[in-house]
Amino acid sequence: MTAPVLADPRRTSAPAVPSRPRRRVRTVVAAAVTIVVILAFWSVDITWSRLADLPAELVRYGWLMFSSPTWEKLPDALWQTWQSVQMAWVGTVLGVIVATPLSLVAARGFGPAWLRSILRFVFSTIRAVPEIIFAIIILSMTGLTPLTGALALAVNGIGTLGKWGYEAVEAVPAGPIEAARAAGGSPAQVLRWGVWPQATPVFLSFWLYRFEINVRSSAVLGLIGVGGIGDMLTTYTQYREWSTVGMLLIVVIVVTMTIDGISGRIRRRIMEGARVR
């Protein structure tokens, strides 16, 4: 019986050392970003000496606004806030009506590739434009009315809800979809019975979240004169009636936080179900 041949440790090849990763691209990108940031600060006309006065100015204006708010204008502020909420609600509903069917078609596997590409490009383009730009374009046709703000919120919501929608459809488990197709269902039937029952909670959550965003955005749209609480804020800020501005800010904060809290609880209930006590 022959003895086993032992390997010579001197002839054993050493493990290959991985090559050191090249960081040239990362260094070039970091240098380019640094240069852009420096040029941006250098080109903007900023009086840097005034930054030291900023904390004191914030305290002074905070005292002017919140030391003695003008509560006599509260009824008018609540009415204007209600108009802003109505603007946000109408914009959300219109956005949902238009974006939901388009998002289903834009999902992978339910629409032709050319149409899917066009819809996704439209969604991306809409998201790149702020609501206030849409409002400025629309007001030339509808005038300075709350309808202008609602339409601007609706158009901007189409881009956001459309993207969220097709991503939610593509994240649905494939089992029910394959079962509906195996049963001979048409694309519309597959969407109705294989996709929609599973995606409904996600869609409802997205709609509520978009309503929260629109409530905050409606106050900003009021700055261009389409009505709502933002219109009052612009008017009293221009006249430097800081006590009234403080009261309006308190109303905006309280109403926005209340709507966010209620909507958040509803969304958690939809996504997580009732909590067992």
Side-chain angles (χ1 to χ4, degrees):
M1 183 174 180
T2 60
V5 179
L6 299 177
D8 189 355
R10 294 174 297 177
R11 296 184 179 180
T12 304
S13 59
V17 178
S19 58
R20 186 175 182 178
R22 296 182 179 179
R23 298 182 179 180
R24 184 179 305 171
V25 176
R26 185 183 303 177
T27 304
V28 171
V29 172
V33 171
T34 303
I35 293 173
V36 170
V37 172
I38 294 174
L39 291 177
F41 276 97
W42 187 270
S43 60
V44 176
D45 187 13
I46 299 177
T47 306
W48 296 102
S49 59
R50 297 192 62 183
L51 289 178
D53 301 330
L54 183 59
E57 291 295 318
L58 290 175
V59 172
R60 184 170 74 89
Y61 281 103
W63 175 259
L64 292 174
M65 288 188 291
F66 302 113
S67 60
S68 57
T70 307
W71 297 109
E72 291 80 5
K73 302 291 179 63
L74 180 60
D76 192 16
L78 292 176
W79 171 247
Q80 295 297 331
T81 303
W82 174 244
Q83 279 196 332
S84 295
V85 173
Q86 287 180 316
M87 191 190 309
W89 176 254
V90 173
T92 303
V93 172
L94 293 177
V96 167
I97 292 174
V98 177
T100 301
L102 294 180
S103 64
L104 297 177
V105 179
R108 188 176 293 105
F110 295 98
W114 62 270
L115 181 58
R116 184 169 65 245
S117 300
I118 292 176
L119 289 175
R120 295 192 178 195
F121 176 77
V122 171
F123 293 154
S124 300
T125 304
I126 291 175
R127 291 196 309 275
V129 181
E131 295 96 341
I132 195 167
I133 302 300
F134 287 121
I136 293 173
I137 296 172
I138 295 172
L139 66 83
S140 62
M141 298 175 286
T142 58
L144 292 174
T145 63
L147 177 61
T148 301
L151 292 177
L153 293 173
V155 173
N156 192 265
I158 291 172
T160 305
L161 293 173
K163 175 180 172 59
W164 291 347
Y166 73 72
E167 288 180 348
V169 172
E170 293 176 352
V172 167
I177 299 176
E178 295 176 354
R181 286 173 175 167
S186 62
Q189 291 173 330
V190 172
L191 285 171
R192 171 63 184 86
W193 303 108
V195 174
W196 188 248
Q198 304 178 84
T200 298
V202 181
F203 270 84
L204 292 176
S205 178
F206 287 159
W207 297 345
L208 286 171
Y209 185 56
R210 183 64 206 184
F211 174 63
E212 297 176 22
I213 296 174
N214 285 349
V215 170
R216 293 187 288 270
S217 299
S218 63
V220 178
L221 291 178
L223 299 177
I224 64 174
V226 297
I229 192 66
D231 198 0
M232 286 188 69
L233 276 169
T234 303
T235 301
Y236 287 104
T237 301
Q238 289 175 346
Y239 287 103
R240 297 183 177 275
E241 297 187 19
W242 300 116
S243 58
T244 305
V245 173
M247 182 272 298
L248 295 175
L249 290 177
I250 292 173
V251 171
V252 170
I253 292 172
V254 171
V255 171
T256 303
M257 291 181 63
T258 302
I259 292 176
D260 286 355
I262 296 173
S263 177
R265 293 189 63 177
I266 295 175
R267 286 190 287 110
R268 285 193 298 270
R269 180 66 179 268
I270 292 173
M271 298 301 296
E272 302 174 5
R275 295 183 179 180
V276 180
R277 296 183 178 179

